[in-house]
Amino acid sequence: MVNYIIRRLIAVPFLLIGVTLLIFLMLLALTPTERTALYVREIPKNDRVLAGIIKKYGLDLPWYEQYWRWLFGTTVTNTENGVVTEERVGGILRGDLGYSRTASQPVAELLTRRFPATLELTLYSVIPVIAGGILLGVIGAVKHNKPIDHIVRIFGIVGWSFPDFVFGLLLLMAFYAGTGWFPPGRVSDWANKIIMSPEFHNYTSLITIDAVLNLRFDIFFDALRHLVLPVISLAYLWWALTLRVTRSSMLETLRQDYIMTARAKGLSEHAVIMQHALPNALMPVVTLSGGTVVGLLAGVVIIETVFNYPGMGAAAARAASQLDVVTELAFVLFNGLILVLANVVVDILYAYIDPRIRLD
């Protein structure tokens, strides 16, 4: 098992190099003028000044030299009032991802500010999504063609075919416009003022956790109240897909010869399902769960936009609507990093569930 994990970890740097190379090639589709947004906040209108910036930052160099500078940064010389200074600029490995026009701040700061909100939404969504989907899928397969199986199938079909923005708007109309119980946003205005005050300590930037650590349970319950509708929206939509995959995989597994052999030996139905069928049926579900986590961490664009939730997805949607290409490519890079790491975790889970994979 250890050797298998080491082999997977050794492959990670090569995968990351491939991801960064692909993203940089997309960046090369922009003109040198547009790529100056990686280094300066405003693209100068003066052609002479613009040409000087392009030359200064090497945006007219061969692509491989630009790729190296994009990864590790470069040292530029500044002359002001006869004083010559050197400055290290660029380099995504140094955390310099360019400047976001839509957020009016460096992209790295935008990601740092928005990611905790998306992470908090993911933490509250992923457990009910995966656990609920697997549970419903197993129940549907075990009770095949019985009334509860038909209910599960209808639940899955409706959930998978239901547009997420429509479902979110229906929840808002029912539980916010109609009752005011669960408002959009991340916290109420009164809670946000307390969070931004010096008395409130942001240990993790996850409001529910920080509220407990600050012993502000009023803020904790207010943050939970704002999370209810987005979590329900995500849970229902992702439940539908997870339960359909689980049910299909479980039905196929229950028809295998070794399941009939286990039953013939006199094992209880619970033992047959939990010890023999479920571990083998979980292989495609693990893959789907990895994709679910990646999708949630990358920011659920429509759900965050509908509920005015200040996460990664809402920021990406705003950047796309204003053609902020530098910011969008930074989001793509971030998503690629999450995807590579998630695939490594999924591979390790594969080996844990099915020991035969370790020997491949």
Side-chain angles (χ1 to χ4, degrees):
M1 183 69 174
V2 175
N3 291 335
Y4 178 84
I5 295 175
I6 291 175
R7 291 201 305 269
R8 289 297 178 268
L9 293 178
I10 290 175
V12 170
F14 299 98
L15 292 173
L16 292 177
I17 290 174
V19 169
T20 57
L21 186 57
L22 287 174
I23 293 174
F24 181 75
L25 292 177
M26 288 191 289
L27 190 63
L28 286 181
L30 302 177
T31 64
T33 299
E34 293 170 325
R35 293 202 303 276
T36 57
L38 291 169
Y39 303 100
V40 297
R41 297 191 175 187
E42 293 185 7
I43 300 176
K45 297 180 180 180
N46 187 293
D47 292 340
R48 185 175 180 181
V49 175
L50 181 60
I53 292 176
I54 293 174
K55 185 71 175 179
K56 178 180 179 180
Y57 294 105
L59 298 177
D60 54 351
L61 295 174
W63 70 268
Y64 49 86
E65 292 189 37
Q66 292 189 52
Y67 176 64
W68 182 267
R69 293 187 176 206
W70 182 66
L71 283 180
F72 300 100
T74 184
T75 302
V76 298
T77 302
N78 299 313
T79 303
E80 187 175 353
N81 298 327
V83 179
V84 179
T85 59
E86 291 186 345
E87 179 186 8
R88 191 75 177 175
V89 296
I92 60 171
L93 297 181
R94 299 174 55 249
D96 191 342
L97 300 173
Y99 190 79
S100 173
R101 291 187 293 103
T102 54
S104 300
Q105 64 180 151
V107 175
E109 293 182 10
L110 174 63
L111 292 174
T112 303
R113 182 165 57 88
R114 292 293 188 126
F115 181 67
T118 296
L119 177 60
E120 190 166 30
L121 180 60
T122 299
L123 291 176
Y124 282 94
S125 301
V126 70
I127 294 178
V129 164
I130 296 175
I134 292 175
L135 177 62
L136 292 175
V138 171
I139 291 174
V142 173
K143 305 294 183 180
H144 184 50
N145 283 335
K146 294 183 178 180
I148 191 170
D149 180 36
H150 296 310
I151 294 173
V152 168
R153 290 167 64 186
I154 293 172
F155 183 85
I157 293 172
V158 173
W160 184 238
S161 60
F162 213 121
D164 47 4
F165 68 92
V166 175
F167 186 68
L169 290 174
L170 288 176
L171 289 179
L172 280 175
M173 287 189 291
F175 296 103
Y176 175 59
T179 64
W181 291 346
F182 305 113
R186 195 178 182 193
V187 290
S188 301
D189 291 338
W190 65 266
N192 189 56
K193 291 179 182 178
I194 298 174
I195 293 171
M196 300 302 294
S197 67
E199 291 78 17
F200 190 90
H201 300 286
N202 289 289
Y203 299 102
T204 64
S205 294
L206 306 179
I207 293 178
T208 52
I209 296 177
D210 289 342
V212 173
L213 295 177
N214 283 270
L215 301 179
R216 292 302 305 258
F217 295 100
D218 53 342
I219 297 178
F220 171 78
F221 288 112
D222 181 73
L224 279 184
R225 195 161 63 102
H226 285 76
L227 281 167
V228 168
L229 295 187
V231 168
I232 290 176
S233 298
L234 291 173
Y236 179 60
L237 298 172
W238 287 90
W239 264 345
L241 178 59
T242 305
L243 77 85
R244 291 182 67 190
V245 173
T246 304
R247 180 182 176 277
S248 176
S249 179
M250 194 70 178
L251 283 174
E252 183 179 353
T253 303
L254 289 173
R255 298 189 182 102
Q256 299 300 315
D257 293 339
Y258 64 87
I259 298 296
M260 291 187 286
T261 302
R263 285 172 173 159
K265 289 181 177 180
L267 293 178
S268 65
E269 190 65 14
H270 181 271
V272 171
I273 293 171
M274 299 305 295
Q275 297 178 15
H276 296 271
L278 185 57
N280 290 284
L282 283 180
M283 299 300 288
V285 181
V286 169
T287 303
L288 177 63
S289 299
T292 300
V293 174
V294 170
L296 292 173
L297 285 176
V300 188
V301 175
I302 295 179
I303 294 298
E304 290 186 2
T305 302
V306 168
F307 291 101
N308 194 28
Y309 193 82
M312 301 271 290
R318 183 184 177 192
S321 66
Q322 299 186 27
L323 299 179
D324 188 351
V325 180
V326 173
T327 304
E328 281 299 305
L329 287 177
F331 279 116
V332 172
L333 178 64
F334 182 80
N335 295 349
L337 173 62
I338 293 177
L339 181 61
V340 169
L341 296 179
N343 283 333
V344 173
V345 174
V346 168
D347 286 344
I348 295 173
L349 288 176
Y350 273 168
Y352 178 77
I353 295 173
D354 188 352
R356 294 172 299 178
I357 294 179
R358 309 173 199 170
L359 304 177
D360 291 343

